Short mmCIF file of all heavy atoms in Angstrom, two decimals:
data_model
loop_
_atom_site.label_atom_id
_atom_site.label_comp_id
_atom_site.label_asym_id
_atom_site.label_seq_id
_atom_site.Cartn_x
_atom_site.Cartn_y
_atom_site.Cartn_z
N VAL A 107 -11.67 27.86 13.56
CA VAL A 107 -11.01 26.58 13.77
C VAL A 107 -10.46 26.48 15.19
O VAL A 107 -10.49 25.43 15.80
CB VAL A 107 -9.88 26.36 12.73
CG1 VAL A 107 -9.10 25.10 13.04
CG2 VAL A 107 -10.47 26.29 11.34
N GLY A 108 -9.96 27.58 15.73
CA GLY A 108 -9.47 27.63 17.11
C GLY A 108 -8.34 26.66 17.38
O GLY A 108 -7.38 26.57 16.63
N ALA A 109 -8.47 25.87 18.44
CA ALA A 109 -7.41 24.95 18.87
C ALA A 109 -7.11 23.88 17.83
O ALA A 109 -6.00 23.37 17.76
CB ALA A 109 -7.80 24.30 20.19
N GLY A 110 -8.08 23.53 17.03
CA GLY A 110 -7.87 22.52 16.00
C GLY A 110 -6.90 22.95 14.92
O GLY A 110 -6.35 22.13 14.20
N LEU A 111 -6.67 24.26 14.80
CA LEU A 111 -5.78 24.78 13.77
C LEU A 111 -4.39 24.20 13.87
O LEU A 111 -3.81 23.77 12.87
CB LEU A 111 -5.73 26.31 13.85
CG LEU A 111 -4.84 27.02 12.83
CD1 LEU A 111 -5.33 26.72 11.42
CD2 LEU A 111 -4.85 28.51 13.08
N LYS A 112 -3.83 24.11 15.06
CA LYS A 112 -2.47 23.57 15.23
C LYS A 112 -2.41 22.11 14.80
O LYS A 112 -1.46 21.69 14.16
CB LYS A 112 -2.02 23.71 16.69
CG LYS A 112 -1.61 25.11 17.05
CD LYS A 112 -1.01 25.15 18.43
CE LYS A 112 -0.57 26.57 18.75
NZ LYS A 112 0.08 26.67 20.03
N ILE A 113 -3.41 21.35 15.13
CA ILE A 113 -3.43 19.94 14.75
C ILE A 113 -3.50 19.80 13.23
O ILE A 113 -2.77 19.02 12.63
CB ILE A 113 -4.62 19.21 15.41
CG1 ILE A 113 -4.43 19.18 16.92
CG2 ILE A 113 -4.78 17.80 14.86
CD1 ILE A 113 -5.66 18.76 17.69
N LEU A 114 -4.36 20.57 12.60
CA LEU A 114 -4.52 20.48 11.15
C LEU A 114 -3.26 20.93 10.42
O LEU A 114 -2.85 20.30 9.44
CB LEU A 114 -5.72 21.31 10.70
CG LEU A 114 -7.07 20.78 11.13
CD1 LEU A 114 -8.17 21.79 10.81
CD2 LEU A 114 -7.36 19.44 10.47
N THR A 115 -2.64 22.02 10.85
CA THR A 115 -1.44 22.49 10.16
C THR A 115 -0.28 21.52 10.35
O THR A 115 0.53 21.35 9.44
CB THR A 115 -1.05 23.91 10.62
OG1 THR A 115 -0.89 23.93 12.03
CG2 THR A 115 -2.09 24.93 10.20
N LYS A 116 -0.19 20.85 11.49
CA LYS A 116 0.86 19.83 11.69
C LYS A 116 0.63 18.64 10.77
O LYS A 116 1.57 17.95 10.39
CB LYS A 116 0.91 19.39 13.14
CG LYS A 116 1.55 20.41 14.05
CD LYS A 116 1.61 19.90 15.48
CE LYS A 116 2.23 20.97 16.36
NZ LYS A 116 2.32 20.54 17.76
N GLY A 117 -0.61 18.40 10.40
CA GLY A 117 -0.94 17.31 9.49
C GLY A 117 -0.77 17.67 8.03
O GLY A 117 -1.04 16.87 7.15
N GLY A 118 -0.33 18.89 7.75
CA GLY A 118 -0.07 19.29 6.37
C GLY A 118 -1.13 20.17 5.74
O GLY A 118 -0.98 20.60 4.61
N VAL A 119 -2.21 20.45 6.44
CA VAL A 119 -3.25 21.32 5.89
C VAL A 119 -2.77 22.76 5.95
O VAL A 119 -2.24 23.22 6.96
CB VAL A 119 -4.58 21.16 6.66
CG1 VAL A 119 -5.61 22.17 6.18
CG2 VAL A 119 -5.10 19.75 6.49
N ARG A 120 -2.94 23.49 4.86
CA ARG A 120 -2.52 24.88 4.77
C ARG A 120 -3.76 25.76 4.76
O ARG A 120 -4.74 25.43 4.11
CB ARG A 120 -1.75 25.07 3.47
CG ARG A 120 -1.24 26.44 3.25
CD ARG A 120 -0.68 26.52 1.82
NE ARG A 120 0.11 27.68 1.57
CZ ARG A 120 -0.36 28.91 1.49
NH1 ARG A 120 -1.63 29.14 1.67
NH2 ARG A 120 0.43 29.92 1.22
#
Side-chain angles (χ1 to χ4, degrees):
V107 174
L111 180 61
K112 284 187 178 183
I113 294 168
L114 292 171
T115 56
K116 285 181 181 180
V119 174
R120 181 188 193 290

